[in-house]
mmCIF file of all heavy atoms in Angstrom:
data_model
loop_
_atom_site.group_PDB
_atom_site.id
_atom_site.type_symbol
_atom_site.label_atom_id
_atom_site.label_comp_id
_atom_site.label_asym_id
_atom_site.label_seq_id
_atom_site.Cartn_x
_atom_site.Cartn_y
_atom_site.Cartn_z
ATOM 1 N N ARG A 22 -22.178 13.818 12.629
ATOM 2 C CA ARG A 22 -22.768 15.108 12.273
ATOM 3 C C ARG A 22 -23.954 15.473 13.179
ATOM 4 O O ARG A 22 -24.057 16.596 13.659
ATOM 5 C CB ARG A 22 -23.218 15.101 10.806
ATOM 6 C CG ARG A 22 -23.477 16.488 10.292
ATOM 7 C CD ARG A 22 -23.838 16.516 8.826
ATOM 8 N NE ARG A 22 -23.982 17.895 8.390
ATOM 9 C CZ ARG A 22 -25.010 18.669 8.676
ATOM 10 N NH1 ARG A 22 -25.987 18.193 9.401
ATOM 11 N NH2 ARG A 22 -25.053 19.916 8.263
ATOM 12 N N LEU A 26 -24.384 18.631 15.812
ATOM 13 C CA LEU A 26 -25.526 19.544 15.776
ATOM 14 C C LEU A 26 -26.210 19.605 17.137
ATOM 15 O O LEU A 26 -26.506 20.703 17.646
ATOM 16 C CB LEU A 26 -26.516 19.083 14.693
ATOM 17 C CG LEU A 26 -27.754 19.941 14.521
ATOM 18 C CD1 LEU A 26 -27.392 21.335 14.029
ATOM 19 C CD2 LEU A 26 -28.741 19.295 13.565
ATOM 20 N N LEU A 30 -26.559 22.820 19.539
ATOM 21 C CA LEU A 30 -27.870 23.307 19.987
ATOM 22 C C LEU A 30 -27.930 23.375 21.510
ATOM 23 O O LEU A 30 -28.514 24.306 22.076
ATOM 24 C CB LEU A 30 -28.987 22.411 19.445
ATOM 25 C CG LEU A 30 -29.239 22.527 17.936
ATOM 26 C CD1 LEU A 30 -30.292 21.521 17.496
ATOM 27 C CD2 LEU A 30 -29.666 23.935 17.538
ATOM 28 N N ARG A 64 -35.814 58.727 28.409
ATOM 29 C CA ARG A 64 -36.149 57.497 27.703
ATOM 30 C C ARG A 64 -35.152 57.261 26.574
ATOM 31 O O ARG A 64 -34.558 58.211 26.058
ATOM 32 C CB ARG A 64 -37.572 57.568 27.168
ATOM 33 C CG ARG A 64 -38.541 57.523 28.325
ATOM 34 C CD ARG A 64 -39.958 57.415 27.892
ATOM 35 N NE ARG A 64 -40.764 56.921 29.003
ATOM 36 C CZ ARG A 64 -42.066 56.753 28.942
ATOM 37 N NH1 ARG A 64 -42.711 57.032 27.845
ATOM 38 N NH2 ARG A 64 -42.721 56.287 29.966
ATOM 39 N N VAL A 67 -35.609 55.488 20.586
ATOM 40 C CA VAL A 67 -36.261 54.386 19.868
ATOM 41 C C VAL A 67 -35.970 54.404 18.354
ATOM 42 O O VAL A 67 -35.654 53.353 17.788
ATOM 43 C CB VAL A 67 -37.783 54.376 20.141
ATOM 44 C CG1 VAL A 67 -38.474 53.301 19.316
ATOM 45 C CG2 VAL A 67 -38.046 54.135 21.612
ATOM 46 N N PRO A 68 -36.061 55.566 17.661
ATOM 47 C CA PRO A 68 -35.805 55.530 16.209
ATOM 48 C C PRO A 68 -34.416 54.983 15.866
ATOM 49 O O PRO A 68 -34.271 54.165 14.952
ATOM 50 C CB PRO A 68 -35.931 57.002 15.793
ATOM 51 C CG PRO A 68 -36.777 57.623 16.826
ATOM 52 C CD PRO A 68 -36.471 56.909 18.104
ATOM 53 N N PHE A 69 -33.411 55.419 16.622
ATOM 54 C CA PHE A 69 -32.061 54.921 16.338
ATOM 55 C C PHE A 69 -31.964 53.427 16.618
ATOM 56 O O PHE A 69 -31.356 52.665 15.858
ATOM 57 C CB PHE A 69 -31.019 55.690 17.159
ATOM 58 C CG PHE A 69 -29.619 55.214 16.894
ATOM 59 C CD1 PHE A 69 -28.969 55.591 15.730
ATOM 60 C CD2 PHE A 69 -28.974 54.368 17.769
ATOM 61 C CE1 PHE A 69 -27.686 55.133 15.455
ATOM 62 C CE2 PHE A 69 -27.697 53.905 17.504
ATOM 63 C CZ PHE A 69 -27.050 54.293 16.346
ATOM 64 N N ALA A 71 -34.366 51.262 16.500
ATOM 65 C CA ALA A 71 -35.109 50.527 15.463
ATOM 66 C C ALA A 71 -34.236 50.355 14.217
ATOM 67 O O ALA A 71 -34.170 49.272 13.625
ATOM 68 C CB ALA A 71 -36.400 51.268 15.120
ATOM 69 N N TRP A 72 -33.562 51.430 13.840
ATOM 70 C CA TRP A 72 -32.687 51.374 12.664
ATOM 71 C C TRP A 72 -31.541 50.391 12.902
ATOM 72 O O TRP A 72 -31.234 49.549 12.043
ATOM 73 C CB TRP A 72 -32.172 52.782 12.345
ATOM 74 C CG TRP A 72 -30.999 52.806 11.428
ATOM 75 C CD1 TRP A 72 -29.742 53.219 11.724
ATOM 76 C CD2 TRP A 72 -30.965 52.377 10.063
ATOM 77 N NE1 TRP A 72 -28.929 53.076 10.623
ATOM 78 C CE2 TRP A 72 -29.651 52.555 9.595
ATOM 79 C CE3 TRP A 72 -31.926 51.840 9.205
ATOM 80 C CZ2 TRP A 72 -29.268 52.240 8.308
ATOM 81 C CZ3 TRP A 72 -31.535 51.508 7.912
ATOM 82 C CH2 TRP A 72 -30.227 51.718 7.470
ATOM 83 N N VAL A 75 -32.699 46.807 12.733
ATOM 84 C CA VAL A 75 -32.909 46.325 11.361
ATOM 85 C C VAL A 75 -31.574 45.955 10.710
ATOM 86 O O VAL A 75 -31.501 45.001 9.931
ATOM 87 C CB VAL A 75 -33.672 47.386 10.537
ATOM 88 C CG1 VAL A 75 -33.653 47.047 9.067
ATOM 89 C CG2 VAL A 75 -35.111 47.478 11.019
ATOM 90 N N PHE A 78 -30.931 42.532 12.080
ATOM 91 C CA PHE A 78 -31.858 41.551 11.501
ATOM 92 C C PHE A 78 -31.511 41.302 10.025
ATOM 93 O O PHE A 78 -31.618 40.178 9.528
ATOM 94 C CB PHE A 78 -33.317 42.024 11.616
ATOM 95 C CG PHE A 78 -33.766 42.241 13.040
ATOM 96 C CD1 PHE A 78 -34.750 43.174 13.342
ATOM 97 C CD2 PHE A 78 -33.210 41.523 14.086
ATOM 98 C CE1 PHE A 78 -35.170 43.387 14.650
ATOM 99 C CE2 PHE A 78 -33.612 41.727 15.400
ATOM 100 C CZ PHE A 78 -34.597 42.669 15.684
ATOM 101 N N GLY A 79 -31.094 42.353 9.347
ATOM 102 C CA GLY A 79 -30.669 42.210 7.942
ATOM 103 C C GLY A 79 -29.472 41.289 7.824
ATOM 104 O O GLY A 79 -29.370 40.485 6.888
ATOM 105 N N ALA A 82 -30.585 37.765 7.733
ATOM 106 C CA ALA A 82 -31.074 37.353 6.408
ATOM 107 C C ALA A 82 -29.896 37.063 5.472
ATOM 108 O O ALA A 82 -29.900 36.056 4.749
ATOM 109 C CB ALA A 82 -31.973 38.444 5.832
ATOM 110 N N HIS A 85 -28.328 33.744 6.338
ATOM 111 C CA HIS A 85 -29.153 32.625 5.883
ATOM 112 C C HIS A 85 -28.899 32.367 4.387
ATOM 113 O O HIS A 85 -28.734 31.218 3.965
ATOM 114 C CB HIS A 85 -30.626 32.935 6.130
ATOM 115 C CG HIS A 85 -31.521 31.784 5.818
ATOM 116 N ND1 HIS A 85 -31.661 30.703 6.670
ATOM 117 C CD2 HIS A 85 -32.298 31.521 4.748
ATOM 118 C CE1 HIS A 85 -32.488 29.837 6.123
ATOM 119 N NE2 HIS A 85 -32.899 30.312 4.964
ATOM 120 N N TYR A 86 -28.836 33.464 3.614
ATOM 121 C CA TYR A 86 -28.599 33.291 2.177
ATOM 122 C C TYR A 86 -27.173 32.844 1.887
ATOM 123 O O TYR A 86 -26.935 32.157 0.881
ATOM 124 C CB TYR A 86 -28.946 34.580 1.418
ATOM 125 C CG TYR A 86 -30.417 34.615 1.097
ATOM 126 C CD1 TYR A 86 -31.323 35.252 1.926
ATOM 127 C CD2 TYR A 86 -30.899 33.939 -0.011
ATOM 128 C CE1 TYR A 86 -32.676 35.235 1.662
ATOM 129 C CE2 TYR A 86 -32.249 33.909 -0.294
ATOM 130 C CZ TYR A 86 -33.138 34.562 0.553
ATOM 131 O OH TYR A 86 -34.475 34.520 0.286
ATOM 132 N N LEU A 88 -25.504 30.655 3.696
ATOM 133 C CA LEU A 88 -25.554 29.195 3.876
ATOM 134 C C LEU A 88 -26.270 28.527 2.700
ATOM 135 O O LEU A 88 -25.798 27.514 2.171
ATOM 136 C CB LEU A 88 -26.255 28.854 5.192
ATOM 137 C CG LEU A 88 -26.443 27.359 5.476
ATOM 138 C CD1 LEU A 88 -25.105 26.661 5.672
ATOM 139 C CD2 LEU A 88 -27.311 27.129 6.705
ATOM 140 N N LYS A 92 -24.714 25.761 0.127
ATOM 141 C CA LYS A 92 -25.318 24.439 -0.083
ATOM 142 C C LYS A 92 -25.531 24.157 -1.574
ATOM 143 O O LYS A 92 -25.432 23.027 -2.029
ATOM 144 C CB LYS A 92 -26.671 24.361 0.633
ATOM 145 C CG LYS A 92 -26.590 24.115 2.119
ATOM 146 C CD LYS A 92 -28.006 24.060 2.668
ATOM 147 C CE LYS A 92 -28.047 23.916 4.158
ATOM 148 N NZ LYS A 92 -29.423 24.005 4.677
ATOM 149 N N THR A 181 -22.772 25.914 9.071
ATOM 150 C CA THR A 181 -24.098 25.722 9.682
ATOM 151 C C THR A 181 -24.099 26.258 11.121
ATOM 152 O O THR A 181 -25.031 26.958 11.530
ATOM 153 C CB THR A 181 -24.461 24.222 9.703
ATOM 154 O OG1 THR A 181 -24.349 23.709 8.387
ATOM 155 C CG2 THR A 181 -25.861 23.987 10.220
ATOM 156 N N THR A 184 -24.177 29.977 11.155
ATOM 157 C CA THR A 184 -25.513 30.497 10.819
ATOM 158 C C THR A 184 -26.453 30.371 12.015
ATOM 159 O O THR A 184 -27.195 31.315 12.329
ATOM 160 C CB THR A 184 -26.093 29.739 9.614
ATOM 161 O OG1 THR A 184 -25.113 29.710 8.588
ATOM 162 C CG2 THR A 184 -27.353 30.389 9.087
ATOM 163 N N LEU A 185 -26.409 29.222 12.695
ATOM 164 C CA LEU A 185 -27.258 29.030 13.878
ATOM 165 C C LEU A 185 -26.913 30.055 14.952
ATOM 166 O O LEU A 185 -27.803 30.663 15.561
ATOM 167 C CB LEU A 185 -27.066 27.612 14.436
ATOM 168 C CG LEU A 185 -27.769 26.481 13.691
ATOM 169 C CD1 LEU A 185 -27.264 25.135 14.177
ATOM 170 C CD2 LEU A 185 -29.281 26.561 13.899
ATOM 171 N N HIS A 188 -28.162 33.553 13.937
ATOM 172 C CA HIS A 188 -29.625 33.659 14.110
ATOM 173 C C HIS A 188 -29.973 33.787 15.602
ATOM 174 O O HIS A 188 -30.868 34.543 15.974
ATOM 175 C CB HIS A 188 -30.324 32.428 13.537
ATOM 176 C CG HIS A 188 -30.529 32.494 12.052
ATOM 177 N ND1 HIS A 188 -30.975 33.618 11.409
ATOM 178 C CD2 HIS A 188 -30.350 31.576 11.080
ATOM 179 C CE1 HIS A 188 -31.065 33.384 10.114
ATOM 180 N NE2 HIS A 188 -30.681 32.155 9.889
ATOM 181 N N ASP A 191 -29.456 37.235 16.740
ATOM 182 C CA ASP A 191 -30.562 38.066 16.228
ATOM 183 C C ASP A 191 -31.802 37.927 17.101
ATOM 184 O O ASP A 191 -32.442 38.924 17.449
ATOM 185 C CB ASP A 191 -30.937 37.623 14.804
ATOM 186 C CG ASP A 191 -29.958 38.152 13.785
ATOM 187 O OD1 ASP A 191 -29.158 39.027 14.138
ATOM 188 O OD2 ASP A 191 -30.008 37.680 12.638
ATOM 189 N N VAL A 192 -32.135 36.676 17.416
ATOM 190 C CA VAL A 192 -33.362 36.413 18.174
ATOM 191 C C VAL A 192 -33.256 36.998 19.582
ATOM 192 O O VAL A 192 -34.222 37.557 20.111
ATOM 193 C CB VAL A 192 -33.659 34.891 18.194
ATOM 194 C CG1 VAL A 192 -34.745 34.556 19.193
ATOM 195 C CG2 VAL A 192 -34.061 34.431 16.804
ATOM 196 N N VAL A 195 -34.115 40.552 19.405
ATOM 197 C CA VAL A 195 -35.564 40.806 19.289
ATOM 198 C C VAL A 195 -36.146 40.994 20.694
ATOM 199 O O VAL A 195 -36.915 41.926 20.954
ATOM 200 C CB VAL A 195 -36.294 39.639 18.562
ATOM 201 C CG1 VAL A 195 -37.798 39.858 18.567
ATOM 202 C CG2 VAL A 195 -35.801 39.504 17.133
ATOM 203 N N SER A 199 -37.292 44.596 22.450
ATOM 204 C CA SER A 199 -38.674 44.730 22.938
ATOM 205 C C SER A 199 -38.717 45.212 24.383
ATOM 206 O O SER A 199 -39.478 46.114 24.717
ATOM 207 C CB SER A 199 -39.405 43.383 22.844
ATOM 208 O OG SER A 199 -39.387 42.924 21.528
ATOM 209 N N PHE A 201 -36.369 46.717 26.293
ATOM 210 C CA PHE A 201 -35.715 47.981 26.639
ATOM 211 C C PHE A 201 -36.307 49.189 25.910
ATOM 212 O O PHE A 201 -36.277 50.301 26.419
ATOM 213 C CB PHE A 201 -34.218 47.918 26.334
ATOM 214 C CG PHE A 201 -33.419 47.226 27.402
ATOM 215 C CD1 PHE A 201 -32.749 46.055 27.137
ATOM 216 C CD2 PHE A 201 -33.367 47.732 28.695
ATOM 217 C CE1 PHE A 201 -32.025 45.412 28.119
ATOM 218 C CE2 PHE A 201 -32.649 47.090 29.686
ATOM 219 C CZ PHE A 201 -31.980 45.932 29.400
ATOM 220 N N TYR A 202 -36.811 48.987 24.698
ATOM 221 C CA TYR A 202 -37.222 50.125 23.890
ATOM 222 C C TYR A 202 -38.727 50.186 23.612
ATOM 223 O O TYR A 202 -39.240 51.241 23.261
ATOM 224 C CB TYR A 202 -36.491 50.111 22.541
ATOM 225 C CG TYR A 202 -34.994 50.201 22.649
ATOM 226 C CD1 TYR A 202 -34.216 49.059 22.721
ATOM 227 C CD2 TYR A 202 -34.350 51.432 22.686
ATOM 228 C CE1 TYR A 202 -32.833 49.135 22.817
ATOM 229 C CE2 TYR A 202 -32.978 51.521 22.785
ATOM 230 C CZ TYR A 202 -32.225 50.376 22.851
ATOM 231 O OH TYR A 202 -30.856 50.459 22.942
ATOM 232 N N LEU A 203 -39.406 49.042 23.690
ATOM 233 C CA LEU A 203 -40.793 49.037 23.225
ATOM 234 C C LEU A 203 -41.837 48.947 24.329
ATOM 235 O O LEU A 203 -42.957 49.415 24.150
ATOM 236 C CB LEU A 203 -41.004 47.881 22.234
ATOM 237 C CG LEU A 203 -40.097 47.910 20.996
ATOM 238 C CD1 LEU A 203 -40.443 46.758 20.060
ATOM 239 C CD2 LEU A 203 -40.202 49.238 20.248
ATOM 240 N N ILE A 204 -41.493 48.305 25.446
ATOM 241 C CA ILE A 204 -42.528 48.160 26.496
ATOM 242 C C ILE A 204 -42.168 49.016 27.707
ATOM 243 O O ILE A 204 -41.048 49.380 27.909
ATOM 244 C CB ILE A 204 -42.742 46.692 26.931
ATOM 245 C CG1 ILE A 204 -41.446 46.057 27.477
ATOM 246 C CG2 ILE A 204 -43.284 45.877 25.782
ATOM 247 C CD1 ILE A 204 -41.649 44.695 28.103
ATOM 248 N N ALA B 4 -34.033 61.910 13.460
ATOM 249 C CA ALA B 4 -34.946 60.846 13.904
ATOM 250 C C ALA B 4 -35.853 60.393 12.762
ATOM 251 O O ALA B 4 -36.180 59.203 12.652
ATOM 252 C CB ALA B 4 -35.783 61.350 15.075
ATOM 253 N N GLU B 7 -33.867 58.113 10.546
ATOM 254 C CA GLU B 7 -33.736 56.802 11.203
ATOM 255 C C GLU B 7 -35.041 56.007 11.117
ATOM 256 O O GLU B 7 -35.032 54.803 10.841
ATOM 257 C CB GLU B 7 -33.338 56.999 12.670
ATOM 258 C CG GLU B 7 -31.896 57.428 12.847
ATOM 259 C CD GLU B 7 -31.624 58.046 14.208
ATOM 260 O OE1 GLU B 7 -32.542 58.115 15.044
ATOM 261 O OE2 GLU B 7 -30.474 58.488 14.422
ATOM 262 N N ARG B 8 -36.146 56.682 11.353
ATOM 263 C CA ARG B 8 -37.456 56.004 11.273
ATOM 264 C C ARG B 8 -37.725 55.496 9.855
ATOM 265 O O ARG B 8 -38.154 54.355 9.664
ATOM 266 C CB ARG B 8 -38.577 56.961 11.679
ATOM 267 C CG ARG B 8 -38.667 57.205 13.152
ATOM 268 C CD ARG B 8 -39.888 58.046 13.500
ATOM 269 N NE ARG B 8 -39.884 58.406 14.908
ATOM 270 C CZ ARG B 8 -40.233 57.590 15.885
ATOM 271 N NH1 ARG B 8 -40.624 56.355 15.606
ATOM 272 N NH2 ARG B 8 -40.193 57.974 17.138
ATOM 273 N N GLY B 10 -35.510 54.821 7.521
ATOM 274 C CA GLY B 10 -34.585 53.704 7.255
ATOM 275 C C GLY B 10 -35.058 52.427 7.915
ATOM 276 O O GLY B 10 -35.010 51.344 7.318
ATOM 277 N N ALA B 11 -35.520 52.550 9.162
ATOM 278 C CA ALA B 11 -35.988 51.373 9.906
ATOM 279 C C ALA B 11 -37.199 50.741 9.216
ATOM 280 O O ALA B 11 -37.296 49.518 9.100
ATOM 281 C CB ALA B 11 -36.337 51.765 11.338
ATOM 282 N N ALA B 14 -35.990 49.336 5.469
ATOM 283 C CA ALA B 14 -35.128 48.159 5.629
ATOM 284 C C ALA B 14 -35.869 47.043 6.371
ATOM 285 O O ALA B 14 -35.685 45.861 6.069
ATOM 286 C CB ALA B 14 -33.858 48.545 6.371
ATOM 287 N N GLY B 15 -36.723 47.433 7.316
ATOM 288 C CA GLY B 15 -37.502 46.435 8.058
ATOM 289 C C GLY B 15 -38.449 45.668 7.144
ATOM 290 O O GLY B 15 -38.599 44.446 7.282
ATOM 291 N N VAL B 18 -36.328 43.169 5.183
ATOM 292 C CA VAL B 18 -35.912 42.034 6.022
ATOM 293 C C VAL B 18 -37.103 41.116 6.331
ATOM 294 O O VAL B 18 -36.980 39.888 6.274
ATOM 295 C CB VAL B 18 -35.255 42.532 7.331
ATOM 296 C CG1 VAL B 18 -34.957 41.364 8.275
ATOM 297 C CG2 VAL B 18 -33.966 43.293 7.037
ATOM 298 N N VAL B 21 -37.979 39.122 3.177
ATOM 299 C CA VAL B 21 -36.955 38.096 2.925
ATOM 300 C C VAL B 21 -37.089 36.950 3.932
ATOM 301 O O VAL B 21 -37.026 35.774 3.562
ATOM 302 C CB VAL B 21 -35.535 38.723 2.986
ATOM 303 C CG1 VAL B 21 -34.461 37.649 3.043
ATOM 304 C CG2 VAL B 21 -35.300 39.636 1.787
ATOM 305 N N TYR B 24 -40.336 34.966 3.248
ATOM 306 C CA TYR B 24 -40.214 34.241 1.968
ATOM 307 C C TYR B 24 -39.302 33.026 2.139
ATOM 308 O O TYR B 24 -39.600 31.936 1.630
ATOM 309 C CB TYR B 24 -39.685 35.178 0.873
ATOM 310 C CG TYR B 24 -39.462 34.471 -0.439
ATOM 311 C CD1 TYR B 24 -40.552 34.012 -1.181
ATOM 312 C CD2 TYR B 24 -38.179 34.229 -0.918
ATOM 313 C CE1 TYR B 24 -40.361 33.338 -2.376
ATOM 314 C CE2 TYR B 24 -37.974 33.557 -2.107
ATOM 315 C CZ TYR B 24 -39.066 33.118 -2.835
ATOM 316 O OH TYR B 24 -38.864 32.446 -4.012
ATOM 317 N N SER B 25 -38.186 33.216 2.869
ATOM 318 C CA SER B 25 -37.270 32.088 3.120
ATOM 319 C C SER B 25 -37.979 31.013 3.938
ATOM 320 O O SER B 25 -37.800 29.816 3.696
ATOM 321 C CB SER B 25 -36.029 32.578 3.880
ATOM 322 O OG SER B 25 -35.359 33.550 3.138
ATOM 323 N N ASP B 29 -38.622 27.180 2.739
ATOM 324 C CA ASP B 29 -38.054 26.062 3.508
ATOM 325 C C ASP B 29 -39.111 25.323 4.333
ATOM 326 O O ASP B 29 -38.756 24.481 5.156
ATOM 327 C CB ASP B 29 -36.959 26.584 4.466
ATOM 328 C CG ASP B 29 -35.759 27.119 3.718
ATOM 329 O OD1 ASP B 29 -35.690 26.893 2.491
ATOM 330 O OD2 ASP B 29 -34.892 27.770 4.335
ATOM 331 N N VAL B 35 -33.751 18.307 12.248
ATOM 332 C CA VAL B 35 -33.616 19.221 13.393
ATOM 333 C C VAL B 35 -33.089 20.578 12.935
ATOM 334 O O VAL B 35 -33.628 21.632 13.287
ATOM 335 C CB VAL B 35 -32.656 18.610 14.443
ATOM 336 C CG1 VAL B 35 -32.469 19.567 15.614
ATOM 337 C CG2 VAL B 35 -33.170 17.281 14.941
ATOM 338 N N GLU B 36 -32.020 20.533 12.153
ATOM 339 C CA GLU B 36 -31.358 21.768 11.700
ATOM 340 C C GLU B 36 -32.341 22.697 10.976
ATOM 341 O O GLU B 36 -32.433 23.882 11.306
ATOM 342 C CB GLU B 36 -30.229 21.333 10.764
ATOM 343 C CG GLU B 36 -29.406 22.425 10.179
ATOM 344 C CD GLU B 36 -28.445 21.844 9.142
ATOM 345 O OE1 GLU B 36 -27.881 20.762 9.374
ATOM 346 O OE2 GLU B 36 -28.282 22.477 8.090
ATOM 347 N N VAL B 39 -34.978 24.200 13.277
ATOM 348 C CA VAL B 39 -34.433 25.308 14.079
ATOM 349 C C VAL B 39 -34.322 26.553 13.197
ATOM 350 O O VAL B 39 -34.682 27.658 13.621
ATOM 351 C CB VAL B 39 -33.051 24.934 14.671
ATOM 352 C CG1 VAL B 39 -32.420 26.142 15.359
ATOM 353 C CG2 VAL B 39 -33.184 23.799 15.662
ATOM 354 N N PHE B 40 -33.873 26.371 11.970
ATOM 355 C CA PHE B 40 -33.766 27.523 11.054
ATOM 356 C C PHE B 40 -35.133 28.165 10.809
ATOM 357 O O PHE B 40 -35.246 29.388 10.741
ATOM 358 C CB PHE B 40 -33.144 27.108 9.719
ATOM 359 C CG PHE B 40 -31.647 27.042 9.764
ATOM 360 C CD1 PHE B 40 -30.967 25.975 9.214
ATOM 361 C CD2 PHE B 40 -30.905 28.053 10.354
ATOM 362 C CE1 PHE B 40 -29.587 25.908 9.264
ATOM 363 C CE2 PHE B 40 -29.524 27.998 10.411
ATOM 364 C CZ PHE B 40 -28.860 26.925 9.862
ATOM 365 N N MET B 43 -36.046 30.220 13.771
ATOM 366 C CA MET B 43 -35.224 31.437 13.813
ATOM 367 C C MET B 43 -35.692 32.449 12.770
ATOM 368 O O MET B 43 -35.733 33.654 13.037
ATOM 369 C CB MET B 43 -33.749 31.091 13.561
ATOM 370 C CG MET B 43 -33.142 30.148 14.566
ATOM 371 S SD MET B 43 -32.773 30.951 16.113
ATOM 372 C CE MET B 43 -31.679 29.789 16.890
ATOM 373 N N LEU B 44 -36.031 31.961 11.566
ATOM 374 C CA LEU B 44 -36.494 32.872 10.501
ATOM 375 C C LEU B 44 -37.808 33.529 10.884
ATOM 376 O O LEU B 44 -38.022 34.725 10.627
ATOM 377 C CB LEU B 44 -36.653 32.107 9.182
ATOM 378 C CG LEU B 44 -35.371 31.797 8.422
ATOM 379 C CD1 LEU B 44 -35.650 30.839 7.274
ATOM 380 C CD2 LEU B 44 -34.724 33.071 7.885
ATOM 381 N N LEU B 46 -38.853 34.158 13.958
ATOM 382 C CA LEU B 46 -38.578 35.173 14.982
ATOM 383 C C LEU B 46 -37.869 36.384 14.388
ATOM 384 O O LEU B 46 -38.091 37.523 14.815
ATOM 385 C CB LEU B 46 -37.755 34.561 16.121
ATOM 386 C CG LEU B 46 -38.506 33.518 16.962
ATOM 387 C CD1 LEU B 46 -37.572 32.808 17.924
ATOM 388 C CD2 LEU B 46 -39.656 34.160 17.732
ATOM 389 N N LEU B 47 -37.038 36.142 13.386
ATOM 390 C CA LEU B 47 -36.364 37.250 12.690
ATOM 391 C C LEU B 47 -37.406 38.143 12.004
ATOM 392 O O LEU B 47 -37.328 39.374 12.067
ATOM 393 C CB LEU B 47 -35.393 36.677 11.662
ATOM 394 C CG LEU B 47 -34.344 37.594 11.065
ATOM 395 C CD1 LEU B 47 -33.374 38.036 12.146
ATOM 396 C CD2 LEU B 47 -33.583 36.880 9.954
ATOM 397 N N GLY B 50 -39.169 40.160 14.577
ATOM 398 C CA GLY B 50 -38.305 41.272 14.989
ATOM 399 C C GLY B 50 -38.341 42.404 13.978
ATOM 400 O O GLY B 50 -38.398 43.591 14.357
ATOM 401 N N ALA B 51 -38.328 42.051 12.702
ATOM 402 C CA ALA B 51 -38.372 43.079 11.654
ATOM 403 C C ALA B 51 -39.705 43.841 11.710
ATOM 404 O O ALA B 51 -39.737 45.067 11.551
ATOM 405 C CB ALA B 51 -38.182 42.441 10.285
ATOM 406 N N LEU B 53 -41.542 44.293 14.389
ATOM 407 C CA LEU B 53 -41.465 45.170 15.571
ATOM 408 C C LEU B 53 -40.685 46.442 15.237
ATOM 409 O O LEU B 53 -41.067 47.549 15.645
ATOM 410 C CB LEU B 53 -40.802 44.436 16.742
ATOM 411 C CG LEU B 53 -41.604 43.352 17.435
ATOM 412 C CD1 LEU B 53 -40.758 42.648 18.489
ATOM 413 C CD2 LEU B 53 -42.860 43.935 18.082
ATOM 414 N N ALA B 54 -39.582 46.278 14.489
ATOM 415 C CA ALA B 54 -38.772 47.448 14.116
ATOM 416 C C ALA B 54 -39.569 48.382 13.196
ATOM 417 O O ALA B 54 -39.486 49.610 13.322
ATOM 418 C CB ALA B 54 -37.485 46.997 13.432
ATOM 419 N N ALA B 57 -42.021 50.210 15.373
ATOM 420 C CA ALA B 57 -41.320 51.238 16.160
ATOM 421 C C ALA B 57 -40.955 52.414 15.263
ATOM 422 O O ALA B 57 -41.058 53.574 15.669
ATOM 423 C CB ALA B 57 -40.072 50.638 16.801
ATOM 424 N N ILE B 62 -45.521 51.598 18.154
ATOM 425 C CA ILE B 62 -45.138 51.073 19.467
ATOM 426 C C ILE B 62 -43.817 51.729 19.881
ATOM 427 O O ILE B 62 -43.116 52.302 19.052
ATOM 428 C CB ILE B 62 -44.989 49.538 19.459
ATOM 429 C CG1 ILE B 62 -44.023 49.089 18.342
ATOM 430 C CG2 ILE B 62 -46.310 48.854 19.328
ATOM 431 C CD1 ILE B 62 -43.691 47.615 18.388
ATOM 432 N N GLY B 63 -43.507 51.611 21.178
ATOM 433 C CA GLY B 63 -42.268 52.213 21.672
ATOM 434 C C GLY B 63 -42.557 53.372 22.588
ATOM 435 O O GLY B 63 -43.688 53.858 22.666
ATOM 436 N N PHE B 64 -41.520 53.850 23.250
ATOM 437 C CA PHE B 64 -41.677 54.907 24.252
ATOM 438 C C PHE B 64 -42.264 56.196 23.692
ATOM 439 O O PHE B 64 -42.945 56.923 24.372
ATOM 440 C CB PHE B 64 -40.313 55.241 24.853
ATOM 441 C CG PHE B 64 -39.847 54.222 25.840
ATOM 442 C CD1 PHE B 64 -38.497 54.002 26.025
ATOM 443 C CD2 PHE B 64 -40.746 53.486 26.588
ATOM 444 C CE1 PHE B 64 -38.057 53.066 26.940
ATOM 445 C CE2 PHE B 64 -40.315 52.547 27.498
ATOM 446 C CZ PHE B 64 -38.961 52.336 27.666
#
Side-chain angles (χ1 to χ4, degrees):
Chain A
R22 196 176 184 285
L26 181 65
L30 289 176
R64 291 187 161 178
V67 176
F69 180 77
W72 164 246
V75 168
F78 300 151
H85 186 77
Y86 275 94
L88 177 66
K92 281 180 184 174
T181 306
T184 311
L185 283 168
H188 278 316
D191 282 348
V192 168
V195 175
S199 303
F201 279 116
Y202 299 91
L203 302 183
I204 59 171
Chain B
E7 287 161 2
R8 285 186 187 282
V18 174
V21 167
Y24 177 69
S25 300
D29 294 349
V35 178
E36 180 187 320
V39 173
F40 278 135
M43 299 284 196
L44 283 170
L46 292 171
L47 195 65
L53 287 175
I62 54 173
F64 284 151

